Amino acid sequence: MVAPGNSGMQKDGISCVDIEATPEIVAFTKRTNISLVVLGPEVAILSDLKEKLEAVGIPCFAPSPAAARLESSKIFCKEILSAANLRTAAAQEVLDAQSAEKTIRKHHFSEPLVIKVNGLAQGKGVAVCDTLQGALKSATELGQNFGFPLLIEQCLQGPELSAFALCDGEEFVFLGTACDYKRITADPFSANTGGMGAYSPCDFITEQETEEIQSIFAKTLKVLSQRGTPYHGFLFAGLMKTPEGLQVLEFNVRMGDPETQALMPRLESDLAELIARAVKHELKGASVRFKPDVAVHVVMVSQGYPEKKMEIGHTIEFKQELPASTEMYFSGVSSQAGALINTGGRVLGVTGLAPNRAQARELAYAGIQSVEFKGRYFREDIAK
Ligand code: AMP
Ligand code: GLY
């Protein structure tokens, strides 16, 4: 059962209930004897939903809002990383426009400077600036739009990857790695999106670095627990492989989109069983098994995305059956007169699963090519 879900999920036989407010969800879960609730997006995680569900005895797999500050406060995140002795970009907190300007003017711009909002900003809270004027402008705009404090941060260089863990407060199981494609085209300076595709596992880290990623999760959980805010739920580390080694860019307190669509089809273990163990704090000794396959996920968006003005409301046609070893996932869709129409920016995506990346890629694109609607767009270079 998914709340609120979408018409595409319903078409696939998943039960959806169109509710989002805490009282409705609590009443619904009680009435229907739901025994476990998993919270997805950070808005739900930062709300009172977990507290209200647990108050009526319904287990809820999600971090507490206090532990979720790992994502909702970059300053808290830096504090935890420092206490855990983990590598991250050096950063300075500035409390107002004058101190922002003073700090920015000290930088020589032989390398860029990163300006960041402290709180949640729906992906619009980070500016990588390579000139003094650009940095001053970004600090003014970010301060005006999101308020102070801001973080003025060293710019790191290197490829990025996402890593995931399922945590029970003390213990965790490692869910693996994935790489996403954030830009609307292959041009690294084109517009930022919610994600145009992903592949899993990440192909540029060594076995030793994979161990190091697990130690990043272990150390972070230990510090959070010692501070009285133990972390339960999915934890997502945004990492960069720099010449100095792996560094933590950020944490998200949820799974990633579209990384999850590439990660989950590779999972062999029973996810529900792992979550059920985690809510009972019984993850110790649990292991997680993956298929040896590689997954590639390609996202299809509406024309105009990521701008606000988009071509929406067109009937989505499914020309052929999806090939074997592929899976389609829906997001910005609704139903109209028995058909699905595109109603959002990111409409759907297809994952291909195969023994190697070239084959997985071929499957994902074969699935994507079977979908038609007016103005559909997808990147052609995912996992190339
Ligand atoms: P965040 O919200 O912190 O993940 O930042 C969003 C994106 O900004 C990251 O995925 C990076 O591409 C970029 N970014 C954030 N912090 C840095 C940094 N210190 N150095 C270089 N790029 C960064
Ligand atoms: N793919 C990045 C995110 O889910 O935030």
Side-chain angles (χ1 to χ4, degrees):
M1 175 67 68
V2 180
N6 64 47
S7 309
M9 289 180 176
Q10 272 172 328
K11 178 176 109 39
D12 279 348
I14 298 170
S15 307
C16 300
V17 50
D18 192 12
I19 50 175
E20 285 186 77
T22 294
E24 287 176 329
I25 294 176
V26 174
F28 179 83
T29 44
K30 275 179 77 176
R31 193 168 69 243
T32 51
N33 290 322
I34 282 174
S35 56
L36 173 64
V37 176
V38 180
L39 301 190
E42 60 267 39
V43 257
I45 289 166
L46 290 167
S47 76
D48 59 355
L49 184 51
K50 178 182 166 83
E51 182 194 333
K52 292 287 191 308
L53 286 166
E54 289 179 345
V56 295
I58 300 165
C60 178
F61 185 61
S64 65
R69 281 185 298 154
L70 213 47
E71 175 173 351
S72 64
S73 165
K74 303 261 184 213
I75 292 168
F76 179 75
C77 176
K78 289 282 182 197
E79 265 172 43
I80 299 297
L81 288 169
S82 158
N85 214 0
L86 291 169
R87 267 194 302 262
T88 183
Q92 189 172 339
E93 181 184 342
V94 290
L95 298 177
D96 54 44
Q98 285 95 323
S99 20
E101 180 172 347
K102 214 166 135 194
T103 306
I104 291 168
R105 285 192 183 279
K106 279 192 209 144
H107 186 72
H108 291 298
F109 289 93
S110 48
E111 54 192 50
L113 194 62
V114 179
I115 322 256
K116 268 189 196 182
V117 168
N118 181 44
L120 295 180
Q122 291 184 322
K124 296 191 167 40
V126 178
V128 179
C129 311
D130 45 19
T131 64
L132 172 67
Q133 289 316 319
L136 291 172
K137 186 163 173 270
S138 294
T140 307
E141 283 172 5
L142 290 174
Q144 273 167 0
N145 295 341
F146 299 99
F148 285 86
L150 296 177
L151 284 183
I152 309 227
E153 199 168 289
Q154 169 201 17
C155 187
L156 303 175
Q157 307 281 354
E160 289 182 45
L161 67 143
S162 309
F164 300 88
L166 187 159
C167 315
D168 82 348
E170 308 286 332
E171 306 288 332
F172 71 98
V173 289
F174 182 47
L175 294 180
T177 57
C179 291
D180 72 346
Y181 290 71
K182 293 187 166 73
R183 305 288 169 170
I184 189 74
T185 70
D187 173 1
F189 298 103
S190 62
N192 211 11
T193 73
M196 296 298 293
Y199 68 87
S200 173
C202 167
D203 67 348
F204 55 79
I205 52 165
T206 60
E207 243 170 67
Q208 195 187 335
E209 285 165 334
T210 308
E211 305 256 307
E212 196 184 325
I213 294 172
Q214 298 187 54
S215 124
I216 291 174
F217 285 119
K219 289 178 179 170
T220 304
L221 290 190
K222 190 163 175 207
V223 169
L224 284 167
S225 169
Q226 283 166 346
R227 292 188 165 212
T229 47
Y231 191 95
H232 307 91
F234 293 111
L235 184 55
F236 165 164
L239 305 170
M240 193 181 264
K241 180 170 168 161
T242 72
E244 293 76 42
L246 287 173
Q247 307 223 31
V248 180
L249 288 179
E250 62 161 350
F251 284 112
N252 291 310
V253 297
R254 51 173 174 79
M255 289 299 287
D257 177 9
E259 291 95 325
T260 308
Q261 295 91 306
L263 204 69
M264 286 303 164
R266 295 182 44 242
L267 189 67
E268 208 165 59
S269 304
D270 183 342
L271 183 68
E273 195 183 304
L274 289 170
I275 295 175
R277 278 179 76 162
V279 291
K280 288 188 259 164
H281 310 287
E282 287 173 2
L283 265 190
K284 203 177 173 82
S287 61
V288 60
R289 287 182 319 282
F290 284 94
K291 297 171 192 158
D293 294 336
V294 172
V296 171
H297 180 76
V298 180
V299 174
M300 184 175 274
V301 303
S302 299
Q303 190 180 317
Y305 177 77
E307 302 302 325
K308 285 215 171 68
K309 197 170 174 298
M310 294 182 291
E311 273 281 339
I312 55 168
H314 299 294
T315 302
I316 304 173
E317 287 176 69
F318 301 93
K319 299 276 188 203
Q320 285 139 29
E321 287 277 300
L322 277 179
S325 299
T326 61
E327 188 75 53
M328 188 174 290
Y329 301 94
F330 293 96
S331 51
V333 297
S334 294
S335 67
Q336 194 177 72
L340 284 184
I341 55 167
N342 66 320
T343 48
R346 291 189 307 147
V347 178
L348 53 82
V350 177
T351 300
L353 188 68
N356 64 52
R357 196 154 113 183
Q359 286 169 355
R361 193 172 182 272
E362 209 166 291
L363 285 171
Y365 277 103
I368 276 288
Q369 292 291 7
S370 73
V371 181
E372 290 276 359
F373 59 85
K374 187 167 172 247
R376 64 164 207 179
Y377 169 76
F378 56 89
R379 268 178 71 161
E380 293 185 19
D381 62 323
I382 304 300
K384 209 162 184 173

